[in-house]
Amino acid sequence: MKGRETKSFKIRSLESFFAKRIFAIPRLQREFVWNAKKACDLLDSIYKGFPIGTVLIWRAKKAMQYNLNQELTALPIYNPNNNNKVYFIIDGQQRLSVLYRIMCGDKIENSNGKEIDFSRIYLNLDKKAEPQFLYLRRHDEDQHLRVSDILSPRWKTIFKNYPAYKMRKIKECRERIKNYKVPFEYIETDNLGEVRETFVRINSTGTRLSSADKAFTLAASFNLKNRINAIRRDFKNGFENMDRIFLLRAIALIYDAPQISERGISSVIDKIESSEELQKEFDNDWKYLGPAYGKAIDYLKKNFCVYDYSMIPSVNMIPLLATFFYHYNRSQPDPYQMRQIKKWFWYTGITGRYSGAGYHKNIMEDYNYFLKLSEGKQKPFKIEEKVSFIKMKFSDYSGGSSLTKAFLCMLASKKPRYLDGGGEIPLAQHNSSANKKNRHHIFPRAHLRVKGLSRNYYNSIGNITYFTWQDNIRVSSNPPYKYLAEYRNNGYLRKVLNSHLIPHTNEYGLWMRDTKKGYKLFLEERINLICDQFEKLAGAEIFED
């Protein structure tokens, strides 16, 4: 690097920097990622005189303005008319953003979609209280003072009727914060690679860079982060919170990365960044790849009942299906392709093909399969190894495995009905949190626990269904022969139980008073029904006889 220089500025001086909009956010920077607690902790450190770290600035020539990211607005947008050079923030963006927003007392959304209202950060007047700064939905006017008011130029007017002892506390807090010195270090270089390396190394501690953020630091010229963010913002039902690394994996696959690991993704992005010809090619490809992500999610919802993000058996299904739509470039697959995609979805979900050792290899193999499928080659998706009945029987639903999620999607495809009334449960209209509340045990686990059955029995996926919370209150800890008694002669119970794949004739244990024996019989038969339904949907034999 050409040079380094260190200076310190009081926070009161930073106010004029914010007003002049001298700070610039480079494309390699991430969004505002802090939460309200971290903001309060920062103020507490400043108030107590603790070090908060050095702000690192890349002092660059105006010719480097093309690296400016105008999408990030936690700080005022850089104004080139006020500066002879560009002052890019390499480290310290989160801290400076908190200080600026505290002075404004306004709201901002962090990268997780959580809104932080900086006008809700208060100073606790109790000196013995810890922490000294609090983020409160409701505050005690005698005990808590808004920090944005304390730092305001109008503070004397705002607090003019306050007693002297409070005014002393307000003035003390104001002076401590405004006179706190923040160290700045300036570096000068024309080498963007050096800046990237500095950024990654600095962020290897503290709030760590995600794999996606590390990849974005390499894509200064073709603005990959903003493209990915724009696509992700259009998703719904929790998919908008998907880790962006999964979207980058589709790019890695399309551009022939040797693997879909962080290293493989970085190698592809670096290759595009270093070639103007590849950047033009990527601009053209993005017209098709960008919409392909949405097509993949819509296809999963429509054809496999993946109604929200919590239900997808593996998020890696999205980049793979997106690459199919990218290469195929049609609105819908043809009938043969649809049959193979069904087989792929259910087999992959049931077996957890994209988890554990070797999942990178499986993804690469499936990408090559989808590539051939998109080209019209009629080669069937191969079932490599059949699944054992015992594995199905003792799979614990509560771990959120790929199999559990595939099971919930399969059950949703049956359009399960309310126990009370027999109407269809509108699962597609519920968000993920509501769906979770609707998952319950057919034989209540408290009852089975009392009967001496272990967790691997009562938490089996074979004992789970979509009873609503209202139905579950009626069930309580009663065995089925008791809580189903009032519905037995209503005319629609058979249809309700069939929609939940619940075996209900007398020989299958649902009505037995010896519920321990009854449950074991019930579990055997229900797992058989579940396996049969999976194979019906997949159009293939998946399970061992």
Side-chain angles (χ1 to χ4, degrees):
M1 293 189 182
K2 289 182 179 179
R4 306 175 78 96
E5 181 184 6
T6 302
K7 293 183 178 179
S8 289
F9 298 98
K10 291 181 179 180
I11 288 176
R12 64 173 72 250
S13 299
L14 297 183
E15 293 181 64
S16 64
F17 294 167
F18 295 145
K20 292 176 182 178
R21 296 192 287 166
I22 72 166
F23 295 122
I25 309 296
R27 287 180 179 173
L28 55 78
Q29 267 287 10
R30 17 177 200 180
E31 300 89 338
F32 183 68
V33 299
W34 278 20
N35 55 28
K37 182 182 183 305
K38 293 200 78 168
C40 290
D41 290 344
L42 177 71
L43 283 174
D44 199 63
S45 293
I46 290 171
Y47 182 79
K48 293 171 179 173
F50 295 157
I52 62 169
T54 300
V55 175
L56 184 63
I57 301 291
W58 171 30
R59 191 160 51 195
K61 295 177 181 177
K62 275 202 168 183
M64 304 300 285
Q65 281 183 118
Y66 71 88
N67 286 294
L68 183 65
N69 189 337
Q70 304 235 26
E71 296 289 319
L72 304 183
T73 57
L75 284 166
I77 297 295
Y78 167 75
N79 184 347
N81 298 324
N82 289 343
N83 304 282
N84 295 322
K85 293 198 172 186
V86 189
Y87 295 89
F88 286 113
I89 303 172
I90 303 304
D91 187 42
Q93 181 205 173
Q94 311 296 322
R95 285 163 280 165
L96 292 179
S97 297
V98 166
L99 292 173
Y100 172 66
R101 293 292 168 177
I102 280 285
M103 292 169 187
C104 298
D106 58 6
K107 300 175 183 177
I108 189 173
E109 210 173 75
N110 67 14
S111 60
N112 292 323
K114 296 286 179 68
E115 184 182 80
I116 302 171
D117 185 348
F118 284 88
S119 70
R120 293 181 180 272
I121 295 180
Y122 295 89
L123 169 70
N124 193 337
L125 289 177
D126 183 356
K127 288 185 177 182
K128 295 179 181 178
E130 287 293 340
Q132 199 77 51
F133 293 87
L134 303 165
Y135 186 76
L136 302 172
R137 299 291 176 188
R138 296 177 181 175
H139 70 286
D140 182 338
E141 292 187 1
D142 290 331
Q143 188 70 20
H144 305 122
L145 300 177
R146 186 174 280 112
V147 176
S148 57
D149 287 343
I150 293 173
L151 299 179
S152 168
R154 299 177 52 254
W155 68 281
K156 288 184 178 178
T157 302
I158 294 169
F159 299 113
K160 65 179 180 180
N161 295 322
Y162 277 59
Y165 79 94
K166 284 191 179 180
M167 289 299 286
R168 286 195 298 272
K169 185 70 176 178
I170 292 165
K171 187 175 181 181
E172 178 191 29
C173 177
R174 179 181 170 85
E175 293 303 311
R176 284 193 188 190
I177 293 175
K178 286 190 171 276
N179 289 330
Y180 182 91
K181 289 185 178 180
V182 181
F184 277 65
E185 184 171 352
Y186 296 87
I187 59 173
E188 293 195 17
T189 180
D190 297 328
N191 187 329
L192 188 56
E194 287 183 347
V195 176
R196 288 177 186 149
E197 180 65 20
T198 301
F199 178 73
V200 171
R201 289 194 182 198
I202 285 171
N203 285 281
S204 64
T205 58
T207 305
R208 289 181 178 271
L209 285 174
S210 68
S211 295
D213 281 318
K214 287 180 183 178
F216 292 142
T217 65
L218 301 171
S221 300
F222 61 107
N223 214 1
L224 181 59
K225 182 196 288 186
N226 289 347
R227 294 175 196 254
I228 292 289
N229 286 346
I231 287 293
R232 195 174 64 157
R233 276 195 296 269
D234 289 338
F235 298 159
K236 295 177 181 177
N237 302 111
F239 287 97
E240 66 275 13
N241 299 318
M242 183 195 322
D243 190 325
R244 293 168 295 184
I245 198 67
F246 294 103
L247 303 180
L248 292 175
R249 282 178 179 171
I251 297 170
L253 290 167
I254 288 167
Y255 280 80
D256 299 321
Q259 52 186 324
I260 47 93
S261 64
E262 185 178 310
R263 181 179 295 179
I265 292 169
S266 295
S267 68
V268 163
I269 293 174
D270 201 32
K271 184 170 68 174
I272 298 171
E273 173 69 17
S274 58
S275 167
E276 288 187 13
E277 185 178 340
L278 277 177
Q279 286 177 35
K280 290 177 183 176
E281 183 181 325
F282 183 81
D283 283 342
N284 185 62
D285 287 343
W286 189 252
K287 297 173 189 174
Y288 306 98
L289 178 56
Y293 294 117
K295 287 181 181 179
I297 292 171
D298 288 344
Y299 193 83
L300 289 167
K301 180 178 180 180
K302 181 179 178 182
N303 294 278
F304 303 110
C305 300
V306 183
Y307 293 134
D308 59 64
Y309 188 56
S310 74
M311 294 178 73
I312 188 164
S314 170
V315 190
N316 280 307
M317 288 176 162
I318 293 171
L320 272 165
L321 201 52
T323 61
F324 170 81
F325 281 108
Y326 163 80
H327 287 297
Y328 188 56
N329 196 26
R330 304 282 195 282
S331 59
Q332 291 296 314
D334 65 32
Y336 180 82
Q337 291 167 334
M338 289 178 71
R339 289 196 297 273
Q340 303 314 310
I341 292 171
K342 283 181 180 179
K343 196 189 302 183
W344 160 79
F345 176 86
W346 293 113
Y347 179 70
T348 300
I350 291 163
T351 59
R353 186 171 160 79
Y354 298 156
S355 59
Y359 85 92
H360 280 221
K361 174 177 170 288
N362 292 336
I363 288 174
M364 298 300 290
E365 286 180 359
D366 289 357
Y367 170 69
N368 289 323
Y369 174 78
F370 274 133
L371 181 59
K372 291 173 184 175
L373 191 67
S374 69
E375 293 169 351
K377 296 178 181 177
Q378 294 202 352
K379 181 181 178 182
F381 181 79
K382 187 177 179 182
I383 303 296
E384 294 178 342
E385 186 177 349
K386 291 187 178 180
V387 181
S388 77
F389 183 85
I390 296 298
K391 178 187 175 183
M392 291 293 295
K393 184 176 178 180
F394 294 113
S395 287
D396 190 327
Y397 94 99
S398 63
S401 67
S402 174
L403 171 57
T404 295
K405 293 177 180 181
F407 162 71
L408 292 170
C409 291
M410 179 273 287
L411 201 56
S413 74
K414 290 286 293 177
K415 299 181 179 179
R417 296 173 174 271
Y418 288 108
L419 189 57
D420 191 22
E424 186 181 329
I425 301 171
L427 293 174
Q429 298 174 21
H430 289 308
N431 59 28
S432 58
S433 60
N435 279 338
K436 287 177 183 176
K437 291 176 183 177
N438 286 340
R439 302 167 193 171
H440 296 290
H441 294 73
I442 300 166
F443 279 70
R445 58 185 165 189
H447 179 77
L448 293 180
R449 207 182 286 129
V450 168
K451 295 295 180 180
L453 289 171
S454 60
R455 177 190 176 95
N456 64 335
Y457 261 109
Y458 61 70
N459 266 354
S460 165
I461 62 170
N463 194 28
I464 301 301
T465 196
Y466 280 111
F467 284 160
T468 64
W469 65 270
Q470 296 99 324
D471 287 334
N472 197 51
I473 289 172
R474 293 186 183 91
V475 168
S476 185
S477 59
N478 294 311
Y481 78 85
K482 282 189 177 180
Y483 71 75
L484 290 176
E486 63 177 293
Y487 303 106
R488 201 162 186 178
N489 299 314
N490 63 13
Y492 59 77
L493 181 62
R494 179 188 294 267
K495 184 180 286 188
V496 170
L497 296 178
N498 285 339
S499 74
H500 291 268
L501 287 177
I502 295 176
H504 48 79
T505 57
N506 290 341
E507 61 265 31
Y508 292 138
L510 195 69
W511 307 104
M512 290 179 65
R513 291 181 178 273
D514 182 348
T515 50
K516 183 175 181 178
K517 181 179 179 181
Y519 176 68
K520 289 183 177 182
L521 289 171
F522 165 86
L523 188 59
E524 288 281 325
E525 183 55 26
R526 189 161 193 252
I527 292 296
N528 271 315
L529 291 177
I530 288 168
C531 292
D532 288 347
Q533 184 65 19
F534 269 135
E535 291 188 335
K536 180 181 177 182
L537 292 173
E541 291 184 7
I542 297 175
F543 302 96
E544 294 174 353
D545 292 336

